[in-house]
Amino acid sequence: MKPATTIKALVLTLLALALPAAGQTTWFVSNDPSENPDFPSIAAAVASPMVVWGDTLLVSEGIGLYEGGVMIDRSLTIRGEPGELPVVVAAGFGIPKYCFRVATNVSEIHLDGMELVGDFDSFGVVGNAMATFAEHCVFRGFFTAVSAFPSTVRDCLFVDNQFALGGAVLVERCRFEVSAPMPIGDLLGVARIVIDCEFTGPSQIAVAYARFVRCEFREIVVPAGRAPFSLEPFPEGDFVFDSCLFVGVRSQTEPLFDLGFDANVVLQGCTVVDCEAPVFARGQTGLPGTATLQNSVVWDNDFPVLFEMPSDVSYSILPQSFPGPGNLVTDPLFTDAANGDYSLKRGSPGIDAGDSSAVPPDVTTDLLGNPRFADDPIMPDTGGGPAPIVDIGAFEFQPPGPGFCQADLTTGAIAGLPGYGVPNGIVNNDDFFYYLTLFAGNNACGVGPGLARCPSPPDLTTTAIPGTPGYGVLNGIINNDDFFYYLNLFAAGC
């Protein structure tokens, strides 16, 4: 062996002895002795010198609750045994109480604060300047469920927390539930990007900065003096929403979006329906920021005033005329608003009517995960930007695929019976009489002032003459051309 090689080998050996061993061990934790665990509790495992950085604690449901209050001085992964959801209760350290503290990655664990109502002294997973990762966990009854920079939280359920997150860089596929009004009831403290999450219950979403992508906000009802969405006055503070749905969000005295200093709120490709507030968006006097509405539907709400701040509105559907390109005042034609389906019905004026250039590059799907920029060949492109033109609202209309039979409209022609309005792959007299009913009952629609664009069906074409411009292209108007066009479809069958 050459001398240089010998010295190199010696140095590597000394380094290996000096550095802590990389953890690759999985330790089994259970408070049920019959399971022959390595440790009877998480605290016992953390206290053991055998458990080193990078190790995993596999925790069984055991025979009862595990007490928290664990100060962790190394980065560990703590996860539930597959198919089980062990419950860890916040305790220890006096006040405040913790489940875990410092660097902790957790998954498949139910963390219970137990003391949210009252003194607000329970904390969940807390990381001090070290990464925290939580996945497939349940957090219930915490003042702060996760507090760390940076941190990632995925596929978790948060129930009745005051701050579901004290700080997180990425929050993905989580659900936030509040079952009863709370004294403060903030769902988020600080969040950088929130993706595919659901929020529901009487609470407030207060952040310093956040971008929400494909999120749903339902029945967010707040008491007097509080705004459903409150942006704290931070220099970088902005509310940004892409492809989000707001339903039943209500405020008694404050705006829907209450912004601090010169903060901005941006709704791009969103749907806001059945919401209530004195003002849609309000900025701070003297430093108002801007409210931007792009490719969005704001319909069937109770907002006496839309904006108490500078606004920029474009390619959106609103209940009143508003300056800006591409804005429409017409019924968006939701698929089934009465049953909570706010996707766009065939023939909706929002189809191919948005501004494609306003969609951020990373937004490629709608709220349901369907592709954005799905062109409907029978709708005229009335929007802006490069083709294919994006739809207005949180849902992108998906044109029927191969095998679609335009003449097949219903199973039965008797309203109120099962199958009415449900295609069944067969064309018979029921389909014809169903169309006749639609055709005769939609005379009050059109594209004129005060009229809602006619849905399809019965709107099927601009002209009934094959081969001429507009044949098979919707125009939002019902006349004899539509009837004779359907007659040809019906005669051809499927």
Side-chain angles (χ1 to χ4, degrees), residues 293 296-300 306-307 313-323 326-332:
L293 205 63
S296 294
V297 177
V298 179
W299 194 258
D300 195 23
L306 277 179
F307 303 108
V313 182
S314 60
Y315 295 93
S316 295
I317 297 177
L318 304 104
Q320 64 192 62
S321 180
F322 217 89
N327 292 326
L328 302 173
V329 183
T330 183
D331 190 331

Side-chain angles (χ1 to χ4, degrees), residues 372-460:
R372 279 293 195 187
F373 312 107
D375 179 62
D376 186 354
I378 68 171
M379 284 293 290
D381 289 345
T382 59
I389 304 299
V390 73
D391 293 350
I392 295 176
F395 303 93
E396 188 83 6
F397 179 78
Q398 305 296 309
F404 169 68
C405 178
Q406 200 171 2
D408 176 26
L409 300 176
T410 190
T411 301
I414 303 176
L417 292 184
Y420 185 74
V422 179
N424 62 349
I426 302 171
V427 175
N428 56 28
N429 289 343
D430 287 312
D431 297 283
F432 177 81
F433 286 110
Y434 177 86
Y435 180 81
L436 194 61
T437 300
L438 295 179
F439 179 78
N442 280 272
N443 295 322
C445 62
V447 293
L451 296 177
R453 185 184 178 97
C454 299
S456 177
D459 176 27
L460 296 173

Side-chain angles (χ1 to χ4, degrees), residues 378 460-475 481-482 485:
I378 68 171
L460 296 173
T461 190
T462 302
T463 176
I465 303 175
T468 59
Y471 185 75
V473 178
L474 307 184
N475 62 350
D481 286 303
D482 297 284
Y485 181 88

Side-chain angles (χ1 to χ4, degrees), residues 255-323:
L256 195 73
F257 296 95
D258 189 14
L259 309 178
F261 290 116
D262 58 348
N264 304 302
V265 59
V266 179
L267 273 71
Q268 192 287 130
C270 294
T271 297
V272 183
V273 64
D274 190 29
C275 295
E276 179 182 355
V279 181
F280 179 73
R282 176 190 297 162
Q284 183 168 325
T285 303
L287 295 169
T290 301
T292 300
L293 205 63
Q294 301 169 325
N295 301 339
S296 294
V297 177
V298 179
W299 194 258
D300 195 23
N301 302 285
D302 185 4
F303 301 133
V305 178
L306 277 179
F307 303 108
E308 286 188 354
M309 61 189 306
S311 60
D312 182 4
V313 182
S314 60
Y315 295 93
S316 295
I317 297 177
L318 304 104
Q320 64 192 62
S321 180
F322 217 89

Side-chain angles (χ1 to χ4, degrees), residues 338-391:
N339 291 301
D341 185 351
Y342 300 103
S343 60
L344 300 180
K345 185 185 296 184
R346 192 165 184 83
S348 165
I351 297 174
D352 297 344
D355 180 9
S356 298
S357 64
V359 182
D362 62 341
V363 177
T364 59
T365 58
D366 71 355
L367 183 64
L368 296 178
N370 293 320
R372 279 293 195 187
F373 312 107
D375 179 62
D376 186 354
I378 68 171
M379 284 293 290
D381 289 345
T382 59
I389 304 299
V390 73
D391 293 350

Side-chain angles (χ1 to χ4, degrees), residues 3 10 84 88 108 132-133 156 264 278 312 331 422 450 480:
L10 178 61
E84 300 186 0
V88 181
E108 314 291 346
T132 296
F133 178 83
C156 290
N264 304 302
D312 182 4
D331 190 331
V422 179
N480 290 342

